[in-house]
Amino acid sequence: MNNSVLGSRPIQEKGELEHAYEKLLEVEQSKTHQQFYAFLRTTGLPYIPCLEDDVETMHQKCFETLHKFGEVSIPVSVALSMHYYVLASIATYPFKKTSPQYWKREILLNKIKKERLFIANTGSVRTYDNVLGNKALIAMKEKDNYIVYGEAPFMSLAGIADYLVFTAELSDGGKAVFFAASDNAQIEFTNTAFDDTMQGSFTKSVKFKNLRVPVSNVIKLDSHTKEQSELLIYQRSWFQALVSAPYLGAAQRVIKDVRDFGKGKIKKGKKLSESEYFLDRLGELTLKYKGAKQLCMQAGHSLSKFKQGDKALLEMLFEASVLSKYFATHYAEEIVTKARHLMGTQFLSPCSMTNKIYKEIVFGALQPMTDIDIKAYFSQKI
């Protein structure tokens, strides 16, 4: 489906992923996360969407990378998912070769791949009008530029990314996707309420103070209905289909810790892992993990079926991604909570990975679309 001229080249994801995983383990101890992102730039991992033509394979490779990193750091993995979903959705959207959007996209992807850039984005425009808290940035046309102003509450990779990608309302109607270099005096980052809980994601609020963006860095979107353009819905579907990966990676790590705990715990003269109760609980956790991951893989498969102009298919893939996000993040949180019950006080040992994951896993359900948005959306579908 991808009509990109970039083509596909084989990269050593397995070897690179293992090396990056080891690097993340190292920096997680020292909290020098900037070193990890610097290392990551030297690999092909951030540029999978620029190098892979097949949509389903692209989703699987991105998901696998985020899942692996999620075993060590949910914040770092979530931040990288923001880079991935924007890049993947733009790379695979079937722009017509005769359109200016196609060639703008190709120039952007080539630049990102060649210069090994990171992109950050902010959810400045929600996918559907009836989603709660719908706010927008505003852009005004001025000769060969757009002037952008407004504030968005959350942007991961702030201060790390080279380019910012965001969607804004146009003052004369419609919407557009903007690409702007992050090193600009008209862009201001301020700390969010997360503090150290999401350390490593570099999530901040971003304010645009009459930022000037040339028209060459703007992709206008057509919107003829109350819902926004296909590209925004397709982009949001990519987000929902990837954002569960960090949380499922963390949940899998906890399941492994529970299994090891059972092997080493002696109760009434025998290992806990030999008890029927323990095996039943461990089986339940693994069942929910595998079921959630299957939903995520199905969401990736649905993305590969996208066809421009097919509203029914677009709705189907959007819903597949939302369902995967909802159940995967909830199951991940449930797995971690029930693991705490099985492991007791050892689970909350200071500086332990289980204790760290316990504090971070709750952010999964809070990622947009949030539960209230998802339930409001599906309440209109019966």
Side-chain angles (χ1 to χ4, degrees):
M1 187 192 76
N2 185 4
N3 60 353
S4 169
V5 298
L6 289 173
S8 176
R9 75 163 176 86
I11 59 176
Q12 302 300 317
E13 291 96 350
K14 287 294 181 182
E16 288 183 328
L17 185 53
E18 288 301 324
H19 289 142
Y21 174 79
E22 291 170 3
K23 183 66 175 181
L24 184 55
L25 282 171
E26 176 188 321
V27 302
E28 190 65 27
Q29 295 297 318
S30 60
K31 304 301 179 185
T32 53
H33 294 99
Q34 286 181 313
Q35 291 183 13
F36 173 73
Y37 291 112
F39 172 82
L40 203 57
R41 288 178 190 270
T42 67
T43 74
L45 294 172
Y47 314 109
I48 292 171
C50 297
L51 304 170
E52 179 58 58
D53 277 338
D54 183 75
V55 177
E56 190 167 4
T57 302
M58 183 188 300
H59 172 266
Q60 290 173 352
K61 289 181 177 180
C62 291
F63 192 94
E64 179 187 4
T65 303
L66 297 172
H67 186 281
K68 186 72 173 178
F69 292 160
E71 294 183 32
V72 180
S73 174
I74 289 175
V76 168
S77 186
V78 167
L80 185 58
S81 76
M82 303 300 171
H83 165 91
Y84 270 156
Y85 94 83
V86 173
L87 196 53
S89 59
I90 292 174
T92 60
Y93 189 82
F95 293 114
K96 294 180 179 179
K97 289 187 177 181
T98 55
S99 71
Q101 290 91 340
Y102 175 89
W103 295 107
K104 287 181 181 180
R105 184 268 303 279
E106 296 302 290
I107 292 170
L108 176 70
L109 294 183
N110 272 301
K111 181 179 180 66
I112 289 171
K113 180 182 67 170
K114 182 179 179 180
E115 300 181 19
R116 295 183 174 273
L117 305 176
F118 272 112
I119 59 173
N121 72 93
T122 179
S124 53
V125 178
R126 297 296 188 100
T127 305
Y128 286 96
D129 290 338
N130 64 350
V131 172
L132 299 180
N134 194 21
K135 297 179 181 180
L137 302 172
I138 304 298
M140 298 175 58
K141 182 75 178 298
E142 186 179 278
K143 296 183 179 179
D144 293 332
N145 297 281
Y146 282 91
I147 309 300
V148 184
Y149 61 92
E151 185 173 1
F154 305 113
M155 176 179 279
S156 296
L157 293 179
I160 298 293
D162 307 281
Y163 267 75
L164 308 186
V165 179
F166 56 92
T167 306
E169 303 270 4
L170 303 180
S171 59
D172 57 354
K175 302 172 180 67
V177 177
F178 292 77
F179 307 91
S182 59
D183 184 15
N184 191 303
Q186 274 62 57
I187 300 174
E188 178 183 331
F189 297 111
T190 56
N191 290 332
T192 66
F194 294 147
D195 277 340
D196 292 339
T197 311
M198 291 297 279
Q199 189 176 3
S201 70
F202 295 93
T203 300
K204 297 180 181 293
S205 297
V206 57
K207 182 181 291 185
F208 298 97
K209 301 180 294 184
N210 295 325
L211 174 68
R212 188 176 296 272
V213 182
V215 293
S216 59
N217 284 25
V218 180
I219 296 178
K220 293 189 70 173
L221 306 172
D222 294 324
S223 180
H224 303 293
T225 64
K226 290 183 179 180
E227 291 82 9
Q228 294 168 19
S229 74
E230 284 189 344
L231 176 58
L232 287 185
I233 299 174
Y234 182 66
Q235 187 177 85
R236 177 53 61 87
S237 300
W238 264 100
F239 171 76
Q240 307 279 11
L242 287 175
V243 77
S244 298
Y247 300 97
L248 285 180
Q252 184 189 54
R253 166 62 190 262
V254 168
I255 291 173
K256 291 177 181 177
D257 287 345
V258 171
R259 185 180 291 113
D260 292 341
F261 172 79
K263 292 176 181 177
K265 183 76 171 179
I266 305 297
K267 190 172 183 180
K268 294 182 180 180
K270 70 175 184 178
K271 293 180 179 179
L272 183 60
S273 60
E274 296 172 352
S275 81
E276 186 175 336
Y277 172 83
F278 180 83
L279 292 173
D280 182 70
R281 299 284 82 79
L282 183 61
E284 179 188 356
L285 300 185
T286 306
L287 180 70
K288 289 184 175 178
Y289 162 77
K290 287 187 174 292
K293 193 173 181 182
Q294 286 286 343
L295 279 176
C296 294
M297 293 301 101
Q298 180 57 43
H301 177 70
S302 296
L303 285 169
S304 70
K305 301 300 181 184
F306 174 69
K307 294 179 181 179
Q308 204 170 13
D310 191 328
K311 293 183 179 179
L313 194 58
L314 181 63
E315 183 177 31
M316 182 199 73
L317 68 88
F318 177 75
E319 291 187 358
S321 72
V322 174
L323 290 169
S324 73
K325 185 268 174 184
Y326 179 85
F327 287 104
T329 55
H330 276 274
Y331 277 160
E333 187 173 350
E334 183 181 336
I335 287 166
V336 173
T337 300
K338 289 187 174 181
R340 176 174 58 86
H341 296 160
L342 286 170
M343 292 179 64
T345 55
Q346 184 172 324
F347 183 94
L348 297 174
S349 298
C351 301
S352 67
M353 187 62 73
T354 50
N355 187 35
K356 177 179 181 294
I357 289 173
Y358 184 60
K359 294 176 182 178
E360 297 170 350
I361 201 73
V362 296
F363 285 92
L366 302 178
Q367 297 280 353
M369 296 168 62
T370 61
D371 286 1
I372 193 169
D373 291 338
I374 292 172
K375 291 173 182 177
Y377 171 83
F378 279 102
S379 70
Q380 308 298 317
K381 298 300 173 181
I382 298 299

PDB file of all heavy atoms in Angstrom, residues 272-301:
ATOM      1  N   LEU A 272       6.564 -22.452  45.653  1.00  0.00           N
ATOM      2  CA  LEU A 272       5.270 -21.840  45.351  1.00  0.00           C
ATOM      3  C   LEU A 272       4.839 -22.161  43.926  1.00  0.00           C
ATOM      4  O   LEU A 272       3.648 -22.338  43.648  1.00  0.00           O
ATOM      5  CB  LEU A 272       5.361 -20.326  45.555  1.00  0.00           C
ATOM      6  CG  LEU A 272       4.083 -19.509  45.349  1.00  0.00           C
ATOM      7  CD1 LEU A 272       2.991 -19.945  46.307  1.00  0.00           C
ATOM      8  CD2 LEU A 272       4.371 -18.021  45.513  1.00  0.00           C
ATOM      9  N   SER A 273       5.824 -22.273  43.021  1.00  0.00           N
ATOM     10  CA  SER A 273       5.525 -22.550  41.618  1.00  0.00           C
ATOM     11  C   SER A 273       4.919 -23.925  41.404  1.00  0.00           C
ATOM     12  O   SER A 273       4.419 -24.228  40.325  1.00  0.00           O
ATOM     13  CB  SER A 273       6.795 -22.417  40.772  1.00  0.00           C
ATOM     14  OG  SER A 273       7.779 -23.326  41.213  1.00  0.00           O
ATOM     15  N   GLU A 274       4.963 -24.768  42.419  1.00  0.00           N
ATOM     16  CA  GLU A 274       4.385 -26.106  42.310  1.00  0.00           C
ATOM     17  C   GLU A 274       2.926 -26.144  42.769  1.00  0.00           C
ATOM     18  O   GLU A 274       2.250 -27.161  42.591  1.00  0.00           O
ATOM     19  CB  GLU A 274       5.205 -27.097  43.157  1.00  0.00           C
ATOM     20  CG  GLU A 274       6.635 -27.262  42.662  1.00  0.00           C
ATOM     21  CD  GLU A 274       7.483 -28.099  43.612  1.00  0.00           C
ATOM     22  OE1 GLU A 274       6.990 -28.416  44.717  1.00  0.00           O
ATOM     23  OE2 GLU A 274       8.626 -28.426  43.250  1.00  0.00           O
ATOM     24  N   SER A 275       2.458 -25.031  43.338  1.00  0.00           N
ATOM     25  CA  SER A 275       1.080 -25.031  43.851  1.00  0.00           C
ATOM     26  C   SER A 275       0.089 -24.771  42.723  1.00  0.00           C
ATOM     27  O   SER A 275       0.357 -23.997  41.796  1.00  0.00           O
ATOM     28  CB  SER A 275       0.922 -23.970  44.940  1.00  0.00           C
ATOM     29  OG  SER A 275       0.723 -22.698  44.391  1.00  0.00           O
ATOM     30  N   GLU A 276      -1.037 -25.406  42.814  1.00  0.00           N
ATOM     31  CA  GLU A 276      -2.077 -25.255  41.792  1.00  0.00           C
ATOM     32  C   GLU A 276      -2.601 -23.833  41.750  1.00  0.00           C
ATOM     33  O   GLU A 276      -2.885 -23.284  40.672  1.00  0.00           O
ATOM     34  CB  GLU A 276      -3.220 -26.241  42.083  1.00  0.00           C
ATOM     35  CG  GLU A 276      -4.286 -26.261  41.008  1.00  0.00           C
ATOM     36  CD  GLU A 276      -5.349 -27.318  41.259  1.00  0.00           C
ATOM     37  OE1 GLU A 276      -5.063 -28.306  41.963  1.00  0.00           O
ATOM     38  OE2 GLU A 276      -6.466 -27.146  40.753  1.00  0.00           O
ATOM     39  N   TYR A 277      -2.720 -23.227  42.929  1.00  0.00           N
ATOM     40  CA  TYR A 277      -3.223 -21.846  42.997  1.00  0.00           C
ATOM     41  C   TYR A 277      -2.292 -20.902  42.238  1.00  0.00           C
ATOM     42  O   TYR A 277      -2.747 -20.076  41.436  1.00  0.00           O
ATOM     43  CB  TYR A 277      -3.329 -21.403  44.461  1.00  0.00           C
ATOM     44  CG  TYR A 277      -3.646 -19.931  44.629  1.00  0.00           C
ATOM     45  CD1 TYR A 277      -4.956 -19.473  44.545  1.00  0.00           C
ATOM     46  CD2 TYR A 277      -2.630 -18.998  44.840  1.00  0.00           C
ATOM     47  CE1 TYR A 277      -5.249 -18.122  44.683  1.00  0.00           C
ATOM     48  CE2 TYR A 277      -2.911 -17.646  44.971  1.00  0.00           C
ATOM     49  CZ  TYR A 277      -4.216 -17.210  44.895  1.00  0.00           C
ATOM     50  OH  TYR A 277      -4.499 -15.875  45.025  1.00  0.00           O
ATOM     51  N   PHE A 278      -0.989 -21.017  42.488  1.00  0.00           N
ATOM     52  CA  PHE A 278      -0.012 -20.145  41.843  1.00  0.00           C
ATOM     53  C   PHE A 278      -0.027 -20.332  40.325  1.00  0.00           C
ATOM     54  O   PHE A 278      -0.030 -19.359  39.561  1.00  0.00           O
ATOM     55  CB  PHE A 278       1.385 -20.424  42.387  1.00  0.00           C
ATOM     56  CG  PHE A 278       2.452 -19.550  41.774  1.00  0.00           C
ATOM     57  CD1 PHE A 278       2.689 -18.276  42.255  1.00  0.00           C
ATOM     58  CD2 PHE A 278       3.217 -20.011  40.700  1.00  0.00           C
ATOM     59  CE1 PHE A 278       3.662 -17.464  41.680  1.00  0.00           C
ATOM     60  CE2 PHE A 278       4.196 -19.210  40.131  1.00  0.00           C
ATOM     61  CZ  PHE A 278       4.420 -17.931  40.625  1.00  0.00           C
ATOM     62  N   LEU A 279      -0.051 -21.571  39.878  1.00  0.00           N
ATOM     63  CA  LEU A 279      -0.054 -21.845  38.443  1.00  0.00           C
ATOM     64  C   LEU A 279      -1.322 -21.308  37.781  1.00  0.00           C
ATOM     65  O   LEU A 279      -1.287 -20.814  36.647  1.00  0.00           O
ATOM     66  CB  LEU A 279       0.080 -23.345  38.197  1.00  0.00           C
ATOM     67  CG  LEU A 279       1.438 -23.956  38.573  1.00  0.00           C
ATOM     68  CD1 LEU A 279       1.390 -25.474  38.434  1.00  0.00           C
ATOM     69  CD2 LEU A 279       2.554 -23.373  37.719  1.00  0.00           C
ATOM     70  N   ASP A 280      -2.431 -21.385  38.506  1.00  0.00           N
ATOM     71  CA  ASP A 280      -3.695 -20.872  37.979  1.00  0.00           C
ATOM     72  C   ASP A 280      -3.622 -19.356  37.798  1.00  0.00           C
ATOM     73  O   ASP A 280      -4.033 -18.817  36.761  1.00  0.00           O
ATOM     74  CB  ASP A 280      -4.842 -21.238  38.924  1.00  0.00           C
ATOM     75  CG  ASP A 280      -6.184 -20.772  38.383  1.00  0.00           C
ATOM     76  OD1 ASP A 280      -6.654 -21.359  37.376  1.00  0.00           O
ATOM     77  OD2 ASP A 280      -6.770 -19.824  38.940  1.00  0.00           O
ATOM     78  N   ARG A 281      -3.089 -18.664  38.816  1.00  0.00           N
ATOM     79  CA  ARG A 281      -2.966 -17.197  38.741  1.00  0.00           C
ATOM     80  C   ARG A 281      -1.977 -16.785  37.647  1.00  0.00           C
ATOM     81  O   ARG A 281      -2.217 -15.845  36.895  1.00  0.00           O
ATOM     82  CB  ARG A 281      -2.495 -16.642  40.087  1.00  0.00           C
ATOM     83  CG  ARG A 281      -3.423 -16.903  41.253  1.00  0.00           C
ATOM     84  CD  ARG A 281      -4.665 -15.986  41.231  1.00  0.00           C
ATOM     85  NE  ARG A 281      -5.696 -16.489  40.342  1.00  0.00           N
ATOM     86  CZ  ARG A 281      -6.536 -17.476  40.658  1.00  0.00           C
ATOM     87  NH1 ARG A 281      -6.442 -18.097  41.818  1.00  0.00           N
ATOM     88  NH2 ARG A 281      -7.461 -17.873  39.816  1.00  0.00           N
ATOM     89  N   LEU A 282      -0.858 -17.503  37.566  1.00  0.00           N
ATOM     90  CA  LEU A 282       0.152 -17.192  36.548  1.00  0.00           C
ATOM     91  C   LEU A 282      -0.411 -17.437  35.148  1.00  0.00           C
ATOM     92  O   LEU A 282      -0.167 -16.645  34.219  1.00  0.00           O
ATOM     93  CB  LEU A 282       1.399 -18.040  36.768  1.00  0.00           C
ATOM     94  CG  LEU A 282       2.582 -17.783  35.826  1.00  0.00           C
ATOM     95  CD1 LEU A 282       3.079 -16.358  35.953  1.00  0.00           C
ATOM     96  CD2 LEU A 282       3.719 -18.768  36.105  1.00  0.00           C
ATOM     97  N   GLY A 283      -1.173 -18.489  34.988  1.00  0.00           N
ATOM     98  CA  GLY A 283      -1.804 -18.782  33.699  1.00  0.00           C
ATOM     99  C   GLY A 283      -2.788 -17.702  33.297  1.00  0.00           C
ATOM    100  O   GLY A 283      -2.862 -17.320  32.117  1.00  0.00           O
ATOM    101  N   GLU A 284      -3.520 -17.175  34.269  1.00  0.00           N
ATOM    102  CA  GLU A 284      -4.477 -16.105  33.985  1.00  0.00           C
ATOM    103  C   GLU A 284      -3.762 -14.842  33.504  1.00  0.00           C
ATOM    104  O   GLU A 284      -4.198 -14.195  32.536  1.00  0.00           O
ATOM    105  CB  GLU A 284      -5.289 -15.784  35.245  1.00  0.00           C
ATOM    106  CG  GLU A 284      -6.303 -14.657  35.038  1.00  0.00           C
ATOM    107  CD  GLU A 284      -6.961 -14.224  36.334  1.00  0.00           C
ATOM    108  OE1 GLU A 284      -6.697 -14.827  37.392  1.00  0.00           O
ATOM    109  OE2 GLU A 284      -7.743 -13.250  36.280  1.00  0.00           O
ATOM    110  N   LEU A 285      -2.661 -14.488  34.153  1.00  0.00           N
ATOM    111  CA  LEU A 285      -1.907 -13.308  33.758  1.00  0.00           C
ATOM    112  C   LEU A 285      -1.353 -13.456  32.337  1.00  0.00           C
ATOM    113  O   LEU A 285      -1.429 -12.534  31.528  1.00  0.00           O
ATOM    114  CB  LEU A 285      -0.750 -13.055  34.732  1.00  0.00           C
ATOM    115  CG  LEU A 285      -1.097 -12.824  36.211  1.00  0.00           C
ATOM    116  CD1 LEU A 285       0.161 -12.461  36.993  1.00  0.00           C
ATOM    117  CD2 LEU A 285      -2.145 -11.739  36.357  1.00  0.00           C
ATOM    118  N   THR A 286      -0.808 -14.633  32.048  1.00  0.00           N
ATOM    119  CA  THR A 286      -0.235 -14.885  30.724  1.00  0.00           C
ATOM    120  C   THR A 286      -1.319 -14.890  29.649  1.00  0.00           C
ATOM    121  O   THR A 286      -1.119 -14.379  28.535  1.00  0.00           O
ATOM    122  CB  THR A 286       0.518 -16.224  30.719  1.00  0.00           C
ATOM    123  OG1 THR A 286       1.484 -16.223  31.775  1.00  0.00           O
ATOM    124  CG2 THR A 286       1.222 -16.455  29.395  1.00  0.00           C
ATOM    125  N   LEU A 287      -2.469 -15.458  29.975  1.00  0.00           N
ATOM    126  CA  LEU A 287      -3.601 -15.502  29.047  1.00  0.00           C
ATOM    127  C   LEU A 287      -4.029 -14.090  28.646  1.00  0.00           C
ATOM    128  O   LEU A 287      -4.243 -13.808  27.460  1.00  0.00           O
ATOM    129  CB  LEU A 287      -4.767 -16.250  29.697  1.00  0.00           C
ATOM    130  CG  LEU A 287      -6.049 -16.412  28.871  1.00  0.00           C
ATOM    131  CD1 LEU A 287      -5.819 -17.377  27.721  1.00  0.00           C
ATOM    132  CD2 LEU A 287      -7.193 -16.900  29.758  1.00  0.00           C
ATOM    133  N   LYS A 288      -4.125 -13.206  29.630  1.00  0.00           N
ATOM    134  CA  LYS A 288      -4.570 -11.846  29.338  1.00  0.00           C
ATOM    135  C   LYS A 288      -3.505 -11.074  28.557  1.00  0.00           C
ATOM    136  O   LYS A 288      -3.835 -10.278  27.673  1.00  0.00           O
ATOM    137  CB  LYS A 288      -4.934 -11.136  30.642  1.00  0.00           C
ATOM    138  CG  LYS A 288      -6.224 -11.689  31.249  1.00  0.00           C
ATOM    139  CD  LYS A 288      -6.659 -10.953  32.494  1.00  0.00           C
ATOM    140  CE  LYS A 288      -8.023 -11.495  32.948  1.00  0.00           C
ATOM    141  NZ  LYS A 288      -8.492 -10.855  34.177  1.00  0.00           N
ATOM    142  N   TYR A 289      -2.254 -11.321  28.877  1.00  0.00           N
ATOM    143  CA  TYR A 289      -1.181 -10.683  28.128  1.00  0.00           C
ATOM    144  C   TYR A 289      -1.219 -11.107  26.657  1.00  0.00           C
ATOM    145  O   TYR A 289      -1.161 -10.262  25.750  1.00  0.00           O
ATOM    146  CB  TYR A 289       0.178 -11.041  28.741  1.00  0.00           C
ATOM    147  CG  TYR A 289       1.338 -10.789  27.809  1.00  0.00           C
ATOM    148  CD1 TYR A 289       1.821  -9.508  27.583  1.00  0.00           C
ATOM    149  CD2 TYR A 289       1.922 -11.856  27.103  1.00  0.00           C
ATOM    150  CE1 TYR A 289       2.864  -9.279  26.697  1.00  0.00           C
ATOM    151  CE2 TYR A 289       2.973 -11.630  26.217  1.00  0.00           C
ATOM    152  CZ  TYR A 289       3.431 -10.343  26.017  1.00  0.00           C
ATOM    153  OH  TYR A 289       4.455 -10.118  25.135  1.00  0.00           O
ATOM    154  N   LYS A 290      -1.316 -12.403  26.422  1.00  0.00           N
ATOM    155  CA  LYS A 290      -1.315 -12.898  25.042  1.00  0.00           C
ATOM    156  C   LYS A 290      -2.569 -12.468  24.280  1.00  0.00           C
ATOM    157  O   LYS A 290      -2.514 -12.155  23.082  1.00  0.00           O
ATOM    158  CB  LYS A 290      -1.171 -14.422  25.039  1.00  0.00           C
ATOM    159  CG  LYS A 290       0.238 -14.893  25.406  1.00  0.00           C
ATOM    160  CD  LYS A 290       0.394 -16.386  25.239  1.00  0.00           C
ATOM    161  CE  LYS A 290       1.832 -16.814  25.477  1.00  0.00           C
ATOM    162  NZ  LYS A 290       2.750 -16.326  24.420  1.00  0.00           N
ATOM    163  N   GLY A 291      -3.711 -12.443  24.959  1.00  0.00           N
ATOM    164  CA  GLY A 291      -4.939 -11.994  24.315  1.00  0.00           C
ATOM    165  C   GLY A 291      -4.856 -10.536  23.898  1.00  0.00           C
ATOM    166  O   GLY A 291      -5.262 -10.162  22.783  1.00  0.00           O
ATOM    167  N   ALA A 292      -4.305  -9.691  24.776  1.00  0.00           N
ATOM    168  CA  ALA A 292      -4.152  -8.275  24.471  1.00  0.00           C
ATOM    169  C   ALA A 292      -3.186  -8.066  23.309  1.00  0.00           C
ATOM    170  O   ALA A 292      -3.426  -7.241  22.417  1.00  0.00           O
ATOM    171  CB  ALA A 292      -3.661  -7.527  25.703  1.00  0.00           C
ATOM    172  N   LYS A 293      -2.105  -8.833  23.295  1.00  0.00           N
ATOM    173  CA  LYS A 293      -1.128  -8.685  22.219  1.00  0.00           C
ATOM    174  C   LYS A 293      -1.725  -9.111  20.878  1.00  0.00           C
ATOM    175  O   LYS A 293      -1.436  -8.504  19.839  1.00  0.00           O
ATOM    176  CB  LYS A 293       0.124  -9.501  22.527  1.00  0.00           C
ATOM    177  CG  LYS A 293       1.305  -9.155  21.626  1.00  0.00           C
ATOM    178  CD  LYS A 293       2.581  -9.839  22.054  1.00  0.00           C
ATOM    179  CE  LYS A 293       3.740  -9.448  21.149  1.00  0.00           C
ATOM    180  NZ  LYS A 293       4.998 -10.142  21.517  1.00  0.00           N
ATOM    181  N   GLN A 294      -2.557 -10.134  20.886  1.00  0.00           N
ATOM    182  CA  GLN A 294      -3.234 -10.563  19.656  1.00  0.00           C
ATOM    183  C   GLN A 294      -4.115  -9.439  19.109  1.00  0.00           C
ATOM    184  O   GLN A 294      -4.179  -9.211  17.892  1.00  0.00           O
ATOM    185  CB  GLN A 294      -4.066 -11.817  19.919  1.00  0.00           C
ATOM    186  CG  GLN A 294      -3.266 -13.086  20.090  1.00  0.00           C
ATOM    187  CD  GLN A 294      -2.703 -13.594  18.774  1.00  0.00           C
ATOM    188  OE1 GLN A 294      -3.145 -13.198  17.699  1.00  0.00           O
ATOM    189  NE2 GLN A 294      -1.702 -14.455  18.859  1.00  0.00           N
ATOM    190  N   LEU A 295      -4.806  -8.714  19.995  1.00  0.00           N
ATOM    191  CA  LEU A 295      -5.628  -7.585  19.556  1.00  0.00           C
ATOM    192  C   LEU A 295      -4.769  -6.508  18.898  1.00  0.00           C
ATOM    193  O   LEU A 295      -5.170  -5.905  17.903  1.00  0.00           O
ATOM    194  CB  LEU A 295      -6.375  -6.990  20.757  1.00  0.00           C
ATOM    195  CG  LEU A 295      -7.652  -7.686  21.214  1.00  0.00           C
ATOM    196  CD1 LEU A 295      -8.190  -7.020  22.479  1.00  0.00           C
ATOM    197  CD2 LEU A 295      -8.717  -7.659  20.121  1.00  0.00           C
ATOM    198  N   CYS A 296      -3.594  -6.285  19.454  1.00  0.00           N
ATOM    199  CA  CYS A 296      -2.688  -5.281  18.882  1.00  0.00           C
ATOM    200  C   CYS A 296      -2.194  -5.704  17.504  1.00  0.00           C
ATOM    201  O   CYS A 296      -2.082  -4.887  16.595  1.00  0.00           O
ATOM    202  CB  CYS A 296      -1.509  -5.056  19.818  1.00  0.00           C
ATOM    203  SG  CYS A 296      -1.966  -4.301  21.400  1.00  0.00           S
ATOM    204  N   MET A 297      -1.899  -6.981  17.340  1.00  0.00           N
ATOM    205  CA  MET A 297      -1.457  -7.479  16.032  1.00  0.00           C
ATOM    206  C   MET A 297      -2.592  -7.384  15.008  1.00  0.00           C
ATOM    207  O   MET A 297      -2.364  -7.077  13.834  1.00  0.00           O
ATOM    208  CB  MET A 297      -0.972  -8.928  16.159  1.00  0.00           C
ATOM    209  CG  MET A 297       0.301  -9.103  16.978  1.00  0.00           C
ATOM    210  SD  MET A 297       1.721  -8.173  16.314  1.00  0.00           S
ATOM    211  CE  MET A 297       1.727  -6.740  17.434  1.00  0.00           C
ATOM    212  N   GLN A 298      -3.809  -7.607  15.462  1.00  0.00           N
ATOM    213  CA  GLN A 298      -4.966  -7.486  14.568  1.00  0.00           C
ATOM    214  C   GLN A 298      -5.146  -6.030  14.137  1.00  0.00           C
ATOM    215  O   GLN A 298      -5.520  -5.751  12.991  1.00  0.00           O
ATOM    216  CB  GLN A 298      -6.229  -7.986  15.266  1.00  0.00           C
ATOM    217  CG  GLN A 298      -7.495  -7.901  14.426  1.00  0.00           C
ATOM    218  CD  GLN A 298      -7.389  -8.663  13.117  1.00  0.00           C
ATOM    219  OE1 GLN A 298      -6.883  -9.776  13.082  1.00  0.00           O
ATOM    220  NE2 GLN A 298      -7.878  -8.072  12.034  1.00  0.00           N
ATOM    221  N   ALA A 299      -4.871  -5.114  15.046  1.00  0.00           N
ATOM    222  CA  ALA A 299      -4.957  -3.693  14.695  1.00  0.00           C
ATOM    223  C   ALA A 299      -3.946  -3.358  13.592  1.00  0.00           C
ATOM    224  O   ALA A 299      -4.252  -2.608  12.665  1.00  0.00           O
ATOM    225  CB  ALA A 299      -4.704  -2.829  15.930  1.00  0.00           C
ATOM    226  N   GLY A 300      -2.751  -3.921  13.692  1.00  0.00           N
ATOM    227  CA  GLY A 300      -1.748  -3.711  12.645  1.00  0.00           C
ATOM    228  C   GLY A 300      -2.193  -4.286  11.319  1.00  0.00           C
ATOM    229  O   GLY A 300      -1.968  -3.686  10.253  1.00  0.00           O
ATOM    230  N   HIS A 301      -2.827  -5.447  11.366  1.00  0.00           N
ATOM    231  CA  HIS A 301      -3.356  -6.065  10.139  1.00  0.00           C
ATOM    232  C   HIS A 301      -4.443  -5.181   9.523  1.00  0.00           C
ATOM    233  O   HIS A 301      -4.486  -5.001   8.296  1.00  0.00           O
ATOM    234  CB  HIS A 301      -3.916  -7.445  10.466  1.00  0.00           C
ATOM    235  CG  HIS A 301      -4.539  -8.138   9.294  1.00  0.00           C
ATOM    236  ND1 HIS A 301      -3.801  -8.631   8.228  1.00  0.00           N
ATOM    237  CD2 HIS A 301      -5.847  -8.400   9.003  1.00  0.00           C
ATOM    238  CE1 HIS A 301      -4.621  -9.173   7.340  1.00  0.00           C
ATOM    239  NE2 HIS A 301      -5.857  -9.041   7.784  1.00  0.00           N
TER     240      HIS A 301
END
